[in-house]
């Protein structure tokens, strides 16, 4: 029988995950079906339970349910524990495994697809929500020289920094005014077509501005280009985190390059 997988979100109609996983299934010869499921804001757990009862084997989880997925899982991988959020669920005979592939996907896109070395580099991470939280652990694993979290509400950035120890520093947007090699926008500003209140001095010569948003030229990317930075959107991260989830479910890691290229066109 065909194994069923899905992505849960609200909204979710825009999701490219069904296209991505269909491409992975064709490439690897896996017999799966993958759909997008709109879960009610107050009915995530019930939607997942109904999917499992209908034979669902695994799921991706997107905004705004990643913290609820974390609470739903009865077992967590170390990277999900670090992130405090779950974007990948695997339904097993003894319960639900929760994982987080977002940060792994981000690092894979930066290092493998964009050929950026992160070791010894200065990294500025904008935002202190779930997207930022999932990225910090994998970024620290690359041993950067510095990782700074900048957020409009400094206390939220500081709370997040405290979870990861003295190697992470927190500040407000207005205090981030020294050059960084990599500036990652993990805020929701791009969703609203807005720009975080950022100093142009954060962009060093040869720096990369990376927006987790994909599919559009955001104000953040335009601002970064104006001030001399190279730019990249989050499409590669989307595909790489999906490939990691596919590996969690199927034990096979698909080739992401042709899928990224197909989505670009």
């Amino acid at each position: 029988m065909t194994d069923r997988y899905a992505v849960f979100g609200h909204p979710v109609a825009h999701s490219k995950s069904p296209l991505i996983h269909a491409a992975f299934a064709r490439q690897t010869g896996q017999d799966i079906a993958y759909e997008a499921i709109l879960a009610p804001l107050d009915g995530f757990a019930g939607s997942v339970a109904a999917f499992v009862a209908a034979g669902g084997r695994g799921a991706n989880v997107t905004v705004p349910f990643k913290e609820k997925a974390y609470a739903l899982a009865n077992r967590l991988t170390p990277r999900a524990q670090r992130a405090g959020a779950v974007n990948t669920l695997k339904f097993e005979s003894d319960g639900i495994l929760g994982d987080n592939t977002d940060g792994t996907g981000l690092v894979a896109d930066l290092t493998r697809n964009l050929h950026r070395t992160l070791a010894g580099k200065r990294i500025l991470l904008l935002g202190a929500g779930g997207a930022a939280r999932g990225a910090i652990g994998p970024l620290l694993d690359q041993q950067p020289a510095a990782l700074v979290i900048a957020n409009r509400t400094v206390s939220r950035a500081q709370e997040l920094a405290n979870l990861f120890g003295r190697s992470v520093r927190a500040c407000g947007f207005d205090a981030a005014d020294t050059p960084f090699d990599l500036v990652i926008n993990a805020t929701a500003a791009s969703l609203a077509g807005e720009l975080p209140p950022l100093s142009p001095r954060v962009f060093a010569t040869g720096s990369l501005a990376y927006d987790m948003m994909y599919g559009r030229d955001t104000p953040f990317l335009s601002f970064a280009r104006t001030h001399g930075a190279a730019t990249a959107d989050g499409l590669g991260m989307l595909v790489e985190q999906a490939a990691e989830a596919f590996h969690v479910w199927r034990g096979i890691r698909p080739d992401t390059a042709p899928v990224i290229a197909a989505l670009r066109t």
Side-chain angles (χ1 to χ4, degrees):
M1 291 179 61
T2 300
D3 290 332
R4 293 182 61 196
Y5 297 88
V7 56
F8 289 85
H10 191 113
V12 78
H14 67 287
S15 175
K16 295 188 184 300
S17 292
L19 290 173
I20 293 169
H21 284 281
F24 288 164
R26 287 193 300 271
Q27 181 192 116
T28 59
Q30 296 290 294
D31 184 13
I32 73 168
Y34 189 106
E35 61 188 301
I37 297 177
L38 179 67
L41 291 175
D42 59 352
F44 171 72
S47 296
V48 171
F51 181 68
V52 174
R57 296 286 303 277
N60 290 128
V61 181
T62 188
V63 175
F65 298 126
K66 293 182 182 182
E67 286 77 18
K68 290 184 178 179
Y70 181 91
L72 188 65
N74 65 312
R75 290 193 299 118
L76 296 165
T77 64
R79 58 189 177 187
Q81 290 176 328
R82 278 174 103 183
V86 159
N87 79 330
T88 300
L89 297 170
K90 185 178 182 182
F91 309 126
E92 301 176 313
S93 59
D94 58 348
I96 300 176
L97 174 69
D99 201 352
N100 191 305
T101 67
D102 282 333
T104 300
L106 170 65
V107 169
D109 190 36
L110 288 166
T111 59
R112 187 160 59 236
N113 301 325
L114 299 174
H115 310 294
R116 291 278 170 164
T117 299
L118 303 183
K121 304 299 184 182
R122 289 176 47 80
I123 300 174
L124 176 64
L125 182 62
L126 306 178
R133 186 166 179 155
I136 294 171
L139 287 171
L140 288 176
D141 289 342
Q142 297 295 304
Q143 298 183 316
L147 177 58
V148 178
I149 305 169
N151 194 55
R152 193 182 303 272
T153 305
V154 182
S155 59
R156 286 198 67 195
Q158 190 61 59
E159 287 172 12
L160 190 52
N162 290 344
L163 292 175
F164 290 89
R166 297 167 64 182
S167 57
V168 181
R169 189 167 64 84
C171 67
F173 286 130
D174 58 345
D177 60 357
T178 57
F180 290 84
D181 303 293
L182 172 63
V183 182
I184 302 170
N185 183 20
T187 73
S190 292
L191 279 170
E194 298 172 354
L195 174 69
L198 198 60
S199 167
R201 290 189 292 275
V202 300
F203 301 110
T205 302
S207 66
L208 174 68
Y210 188 101
D211 201 325
M212 289 189 182
M213 172 66 66
Y214 61 89
R216 68 183 75 169
D217 187 28
T218 66
F220 168 74
L221 294 179
S222 178
F223 178 75
R225 273 197 307 274
T226 299
H227 295 286
T231 59
D233 72 0
L235 183 64
M237 174 183 174
L238 176 72
V239 177
E240 294 292 350
Q241 66 79 25
E244 187 69 13
F246 194 89
H247 180 259
V248 170
W249 297 328
R250 312 298 294 184
I252 298 171
R253 184 167 278 105
D255 183 5
T256 55
V259 179
I260 294 171
L263 289 173
R264 290 283 182 209
T265 59

